Amino acid sequence: MKRIGLRARLTFALLGLALLPLAVATVVLVRMNLGRLAESAREYRMAVASEVVQTLENRLDRALTEMGIASAALAERGVPSEDRVRAVRAQLLGSRVLDGIAVYAPDGTHVDSIVAGPAAALAARPETLPPDIVRAVAERGAAFGDVVLDDAGHPRLPVAVPAYRSGEQSVYAYLWTALDLEPARLAVAEASARRFLGETDRVFVVDANLRVVLHSDPALLLKPLGERGRAFGLPEDGSFLRNVQVSYAASYEVGGESLLGVLVPVPTARWGLAVEQERDE
């Protein structure tokens, strides 16, 4: 067998020395790329917050727009009251977000109800509008009450808006509805499942009272945020939602699971959207 000469052995040795840093660099780059991929995956999952917030905002905006249309129809001059009610009922029949509207006099007493959906649509209707709702309507042009559950277990959001007659500054009437949030609850669960490989409970929504109002598990609706809220360091008076530019992030453990969570505002309703994942994912 032909022996390898000294010069050849030196050449192979030098090549080995030259390739060793390249191999090390390749390993480092692979690790860096894997780290970047993991970070990108985390960012992709946590970015679901902006997507869901926009979905919720669009639904709330649509409800306010349709209530504004109904208020204009009810306050229209020169039209018999039965025709105005008929116009609002026709609007409700074609609506994808509203299924009933209650009408209140300027002093807050209930006058009439117009329903085009299930009887539960206005089951939570108060006999008199609460003073804090009337004040919120005067200050912000619309008011949102605390989420309640209807007989079917669906979360509903009370919403009130004013109705004005053209040329008048005083309120002609108030319109109130209980917005069915079940489609929004399902949308939140679906967004979670898309981003977290079928896990529907990684994204949920809380209100200013730190109660869960949208979650894939109906049993958790209206339950307190509990230790998650304490981990975020949130004040219990809802003031954490007053600055819509501020988001929160925290690392915490729930039921033995180590989690990383972010909480971002849903400005219109003054809710908070939570997105969480396992800390080591």
Side-chain angles (χ1 to χ4, degrees):
M1 185 172 74
K2 186 176 180 180
R3 298 180 60 186
I4 300 176
L6 178 61
R7 180 176 295 179
R9 288 199 297 273
L10 288 173
T11 299
F12 286 134
L14 290 173
L15 283 172
L17 289 174
L19 291 174
L20 181 60
L22 179 60
V24 172
T26 301
V27 170
V28 170
L29 285 173
V30 168
R31 288 179 177 172
M32 287 178 63
N33 287 335
L34 288 175
R36 287 172 182 165
L37 284 173
E39 181 64 25
S40 296
R42 283 193 293 270
E43 290 176 355
Y44 171 76
R45 287 173 171 178
M46 302 311 264
V48 70
S50 59
E51 170 193 333
V52 177
V53 166
Q54 190 60 55
T55 297
L56 295 174
E57 288 284 282
N58 289 344
R59 185 167 183 82
L60 293 172
D61 287 345
R62 180 61 183 267
L64 290 175
T65 297
E66 292 196 11
M67 290 189 74
I69 295 171
S71 70
L74 284 175
E76 188 174 0
R77 292 179 181 276
V79 178
S81 60
E82 59 271 18
D83 290 342
R84 286 180 275 153
V85 169
R86 191 178 296 113
V88 172
R89 183 171 286 110
Q91 177 194 342
L92 292 176
L93 287 171
S95 174
R96 293 185 177 181
V97 293
L98 301 180
D99 45 19
I101 286 178
V103 183
Y104 291 82
D107 64 359
T109 57
H110 178 248
V111 175
D112 194 9
S113 292
I114 308 169
V115 179
L122 299 179
R125 173 188 63 76
E127 283 301 319
T128 304
L129 283 182
D132 60 326
I133 293 293
V134 174
R135 284 194 301 270
V137 169
E139 292 171 3
R140 301 196 296 269
F144 299 92
D146 292 335
V147 174
V148 297
L149 298 181
D150 64 19
D151 293 340
H154 292 180
R156 285 186 175 267
L157 174 66
V159 184
V161 300
Y164 296 96
R165 278 193 156 169
S166 59
E168 295 183 3
Q169 299 297 320
S170 59
V171 172
Y172 172 74
Y174 294 102
L175 272 62
W176 182 97
T177 192
L179 180 63
D180 187 359
L181 296 177
E182 183 65 8
R185 187 185 74 82
L186 296 176
V188 169
E190 289 169 3
S192 175
R194 285 198 307 272
R195 295 293 181 115
F196 292 94
L197 302 178
E199 295 183 79
T200 60
D201 61 349
R202 295 302 191 184
V203 184
F204 54 92
V205 178
V206 300
D207 65 8
N209 300 314
L210 298 184
R211 301 180 311 158
V212 176
V213 293
L214 297 177
H215 196 285
S216 62
D217 183 357
L220 296 180
L221 295 178
L222 306 190
K223 296 295 189 295
L225 189 58
E227 51 193 303
R228 287 175 169 88
R230 290 187 287 274
F232 281 111
L234 302 176
E236 296 184 1
D237 60 359
S239 57
F240 73 100
L241 294 173
R242 290 174 187 162
N243 187 347
V244 298
Q245 302 302 321
V246 175
S247 298
Y248 296 80
S251 180
Y252 46 88
E253 290 193 6
V254 176
E257 186 179 24
S258 298
L259 298 170
L260 173 66
V262 296
L263 187 72
V264 298
V266 182
T268 300
R270 297 192 176 185
W271 288 340
L273 178 91
V275 181
E276 58 186 22
Q277 66 178 45
E278 291 184 11
R279 194 181 305 164
D280 298 329
E281 284 187 350

